[in-house]
């Protein structure tokens, strides 16, 4: 920066810093606007509303070995219940299932 006046150099540095800050600001603004468009599209397609679901049973599973409880777990559908029962069987545990409404 040998022939450049100090004041001009400081102004150029400030402009560069402001330019980088504005780039970041513009990127964040573009990201937010993209998010808003996405939310508007979800709302237009009725995808933000919760679907009505039938009440279902939950299952409380306890697995034990020689009378000592090894683990407990909740299952929220038949598939999860089947997986937990199979896990207990594979480990040689006895298990109990309690249906909770």
């Amino acid at each position: 920066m040998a022939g450049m006046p100090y004041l001009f150099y400081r102004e150029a540095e400030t402009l560069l810093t402001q330019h980088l800050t504005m780039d970041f600001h513009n990127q964040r603004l573009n990201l937010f606007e993209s998010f808003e468009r996405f939310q508007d599209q979800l709302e237009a397609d009725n995808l933000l509303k919760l679907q009505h679901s039938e009440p279902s049973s939950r299952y409380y599973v306890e697995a034990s070995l020689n009378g000592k409880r090894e683990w407990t777990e909740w299952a929220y559908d038949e598939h999860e219940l089947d997986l937990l029962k199979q896990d207990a069987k594979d480990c040689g545990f006895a298990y109990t299932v309690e249906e909770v409404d």
Side-chain angles (χ1 to χ4, degrees), residues 4-100:
M4 189 180 294
Y6 178 74
L7 182 60
F8 178 75
Y9 174 73
R10 295 296 295 165
E11 288 173 4
E13 184 179 279
T14 302
L15 288 174
L16 179 60
T17 303
Q18 288 175 347
H19 178 70
L20 293 176
T21 303
M22 288 306 294
D23 282 349
F24 177 75
H25 172 74
N26 288 335
Q27 288 175 345
R28 300 295 290 183
L29 187 57
N30 289 339
L31 181 63
F32 179 73
E33 289 171 350
S34 172
F35 172 75
E36 282 186 322
R37 284 191 302 275
F38 181 70
Q39 289 293 102
D40 291 343
Q41 186 62 44
L42 287 176
E43 191 172 301
D45 294 340
N46 286 325
L47 296 176
L48 290 178
K49 296 179 182 169
L50 295 176
Q51 299 294 325
H52 179 68
S53 63
E54 297 297 320
S56 60
S57 297
R58 295 180 300 161
Y59 305 94
Y60 181 71
V61 182
E62 278 189 1
S64 58
L65 182 63
N66 299 327
K68 180 183 173 206
R69 184 171 56 198
E70 296 293 328
W71 54 261
T72 63
E73 190 65 59
W74 288 95
Y76 296 96
D77 59 30
E78 293 288 333
H79 178 69
E80 285 183 2
L81 178 60
D82 291 340
L83 291 174
L84 290 173
K85 291 188 323 189
Q86 191 59 49
D87 284 346
K89 288 178 190 175
D90 291 345
C91 293
F93 296 153
Y95 63 88
T96 59
V97 176
E98 181 182 341
E99 186 172 357
V100 181

